[in-house]
């Protein structure tokens, strides 16, 4: 579990060392791409808890979703519709949903562990 | 069983790490862009913009003052360079003049030619006298048979045995001398070219009691003088000094 976190830290460090500056006019597209990436990330984490995880799905989902989100936001700008707002709302809902799901899974896991410990304790007492 | 578990762990850890890493990069890029956007002028408040304009205006005034000062310096430098250029031109002209005197360069100009044919009984010192007279008459450059006369030119003679027919048609042989210039025999006709004022040069040779009259009457030498509008006198071969050295400081009195 520590390795993905290490990956995140290394990514953040590299990003701060080699400062990738994207033109300000593309800031909105990048923001939507970040949201899409966060959504994919949390979706993958959620899938691990649900034992439904697929590495290829996560990687392809991450890259395709980020590019597609940024592309859609750009397209919205071109045709005069603030599509990035729709993306922000959609990804926002999904992110909260994933976080909620992870929270429930963590609580369930915690309860399961506590139940196991109690049942082990009962055997010892008897 | 344990190996199977490890393989399963790698299956989810590796893609998650990659995605986390990429997300970290993306997040940082977004952070930097957001920072840049925050610092962009269009996001500044009116009060801040006014402050920025004030600062920029004062900076501009300072830079304008600096620019004016630098322009003045540039003008002064240009004036100095211009004066340096004129000095340079004078030096170049001086070198050209000196090279014409020393024979380092070919020279052109008006002057006279003095032609002496083979029948004349010319001795080497007659040539020296002619050259002396020409220089005395203001010749600036002289060549004898296309050999430039310089300070290193030598005029000497060598003894030869001449053969000729006398009036009765008999072959006669007699000892004679031919002039040498820089050790080489001078071939007839000898053409002396001198650049200078043509009239002055001619007068310098032909005045009554002058060298031409002497040559005519005493030695039966009859040089033909011709005034020329444009003469070309070639450069002398380069002379390499072996012993004489110019003092490095240029102090002319150091030898005293």
């Amino acid at each position: 579990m520590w390795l993905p976190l290490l990956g995140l830290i290394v990514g953040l460090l590299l990003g701060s060392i080699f400062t990738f500056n994207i033109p300000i006019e593309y800031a909105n597209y990048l923001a939507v791409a970040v949201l899409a990436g966060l959504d994919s990330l949390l979706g993958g984490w959620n899938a691990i808890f649900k034992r439904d995880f697929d590495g290829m799905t996560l990687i392809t989902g991450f890259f395709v979703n980020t590019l597609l989100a940024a592309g859609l936001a750009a397209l919205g700008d071109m045709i005069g519709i603030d599509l990035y707002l729709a993306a922000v709302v959609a990804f926002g809902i999904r992110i909260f949903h994933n976080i909620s799901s992870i929270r429930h899974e963590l609580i369930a896991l915690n309860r399961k562990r506590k139940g196991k410990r109690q049942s082990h304790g009962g055997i010892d007492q008897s | 069983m344990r190996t199977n578990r490890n393989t399963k762990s790698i299956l989810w850890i590796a893609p998650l790490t990659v995605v986390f890493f990429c997300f970290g990069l993306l997040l940082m890029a977004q952070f930097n862009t957001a920072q840049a956007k925050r610092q962009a002028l269009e996001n500044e408040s009116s009060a801040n913009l006014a402050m920025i304009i004030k600062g920029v205006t004062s900076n501009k005034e300072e830079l304008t003052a600096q620019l004016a000062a630098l322009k003045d310096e540039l003008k002064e430098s240009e004036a100095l360079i211009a004066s340096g250029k004129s000095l340079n031109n004078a030096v170049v002209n001086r070198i050209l003049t000196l090279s014409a005197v020393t024979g380092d360069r070919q020279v052109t100009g008006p002057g006279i030619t003095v032609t002496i044919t083979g029948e004349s009984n010319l001795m080497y010192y007659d040539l020296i006298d002619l050259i002396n007279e020409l220089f005395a008459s203001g010749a600036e450059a002289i060549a004898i048979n296309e050999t430039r006369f310089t300070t290193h030119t030598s005029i000497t003679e060598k003894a030869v045995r001449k053969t000729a027919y006398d009036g009765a048609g008999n072959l006669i042989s007699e000892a004679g001398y031919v002039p040498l210039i820089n050790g080489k025999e001078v071939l007839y006709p000898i053409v002396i070219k001198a650049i200078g004022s043509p009239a002055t040069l001619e007068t310098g040779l032909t005045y009554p009691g002058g060298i031409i009259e002497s040559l005519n009457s005493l030695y039966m030498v009859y040089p033909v003088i011709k005034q020329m509008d444009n003469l070309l006198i070639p450069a002398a071969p380069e002379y390499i000094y072996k012993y004489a050295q110019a003092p490095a400081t240029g102090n002319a009195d150091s030898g005293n």
Side-chain angles (χ1 to χ4, degrees):
Chain A
M1 193 58 221
W2 295 109
L3 208 59
L5 279 178
L6 193 70
L8 179 68
I9 291 163
V10 170
L12 288 171
L13 281 174
L14 282 180
S16 61
I17 292 166
F18 306 104
T19 46
F20 305 110
N21 272 326
I22 282 131
I24 292 167
E25 54 265 38
Y26 301 135
N28 284 341
Y29 312 152
L30 190 65
V32 177
V34 169
L35 274 181
L38 187 61
D39 171 50
S40 293
L41 208 67
L42 293 171
W45 199 357
N46 192 20
I48 290 167
F49 283 118
K50 287 181 174 170
R51 298 184 185 282
D52 192 23
F53 181 79
D54 183 6
M56 191 52 75
T57 309
L58 175 67
I59 290 176
T60 53
F62 178 81
F63 288 108
V64 170
N65 282 356
T66 48
L67 289 173
L68 211 62
L72 273 175
L75 183 72
D77 260 6
M78 278 182 204
I79 60 175
I81 302 167
D82 287 336
L83 266 183
Y84 80 93
L85 282 178
V88 167
V89 173
F91 284 124
I93 291 168
R94 278 171 61 94
I95 286 165
F96 279 112
H97 175 76
N98 279 330
I99 289 172
S100 164
S101 189
I102 289 165
R103 186 168 46 84
H104 282 122
E105 291 292 336
L106 280 172
I107 290 165
L109 198 70
N110 199 27
R111 279 181 184 158
K112 211 174 172 181
R113 277 181 183 169
K114 270 186 182 173
K116 267 188 180 176
R117 208 170 282 165
Q118 277 174 0
S119 64
H120 276 291
I123 288 165
D124 289 341
Q125 279 169 5
S126 60
Chain B
M1 186 70 185
R2 192 176 175 80
T3 315
N4 191 28
R5 200 177 164 186
N6 280 344
T7 315
K8 272 189 176 174
S9 296
I10 289 165
L11 278 176
W12 69 265
I13 284 175
L16 205 65
T17 308
V18 170
V19 169
F20 261 97
F21 172 75
C22 294
F23 182 72
L25 285 178
L26 204 62
L27 202 63
M28 218 57 221
Q30 170 61 14
F31 178 76
N32 290 334
T33 312
Q35 288 278 96
K37 195 178 175 184
R38 220 167 287 143
Q39 287 165 3
L41 280 179
E42 59 253 40
N43 295 321
E44 293 289 343
S45 66
S46 303
N48 279 351
L49 282 174
M51 289 283 284
I52 289 166
I53 288 168
K54 200 178 170 187
V56 169
T57 311
S58 71
N59 268 351
K60 189 194 165 192
E61 280 167 8
E62 278 176 27
L63 288 171
T64 310
Q66 277 184 18
L67 182 68
L70 286 170
K71 273 185 178 171
D72 287 345
E73 274 184 35
L74 180 67
K75 271 183 189 171
E76 282 174 22
S77 300
E78 279 175 350
L80 282 173
I81 288 166
S83 62
K85 264 187 183 169
S86 64
L87 184 68
N88 191 34
N89 285 342
V91 169
V92 168
N93 287 336
R94 185 70 184 149
I95 288 169
L96 288 175
T97 308
L98 287 172
S99 62
V101 171
T102 56
D104 288 337
R105 293 166 65 86
Q106 67 173 27
V107 285
T108 57
I112 59 166
T113 59
V114 182
T115 309
I116 303 155
T117 54
E119 295 82 33
S120 56
N121 188 25
L122 187 81
M123 303 302 285
Y124 80 97
Y125 41 80
D126 297 330
L127 268 179
I128 294 172
D129 287 345
L130 271 170
I131 302 293
N132 276 340
E133 284 299 328
L134 284 168
F135 276 128
S137 306
E140 291 173 353
I142 294 173
I144 306 165
N145 279 6
E146 300 298 321
T147 301
R148 181 75 169 268
F149 189 88
T150 68
T151 51
H152 301 292
T153 307
S154 65
I155 299 179
T156 52
E157 67 174 354
K158 83 170 177 185
V160 290
R161 181 157 291 280
K162 289 181 178 176
T163 53
Y165 292 95
D166 63 3
N170 299 318
L171 185 68
I172 56 163
S173 170
E174 59 178 11
Y177 294 91
V178 290
L180 304 174
I181 293 179
N182 292 337
K184 287 180 184 169
E185 192 177 326
V186 183
L187 298 173
Y188 286 92
I190 298 171
V191 180
I192 301 170
K193 288 182 185 173
I195 286 179
S197 166
T200 310
L201 290 174
E202 188 171 357
T203 312
L205 298 179
T206 56
Y207 68 92
I211 186 166
I212 294 292
E213 201 175 286
S214 300
L215 286 171
N216 289 347
S217 58
L218 298 174
Y219 306 111
M220 305 301 206
V221 176
Y222 300 97
V224 178
I225 298 169
K226 213 172 172 182
Q227 292 193 12
M228 305 292 282
D229 291 332
N230 194 25
L231 281 173
L232 172 73
I233 291 183
E238 190 184 357
Y239 183 83
I240 297 163
Y241 285 85
K242 292 175 188 168
Y243 305 103
Q245 288 182 342
T249 54
N251 188 354
D253 297 331
S254 58
N256 293 335

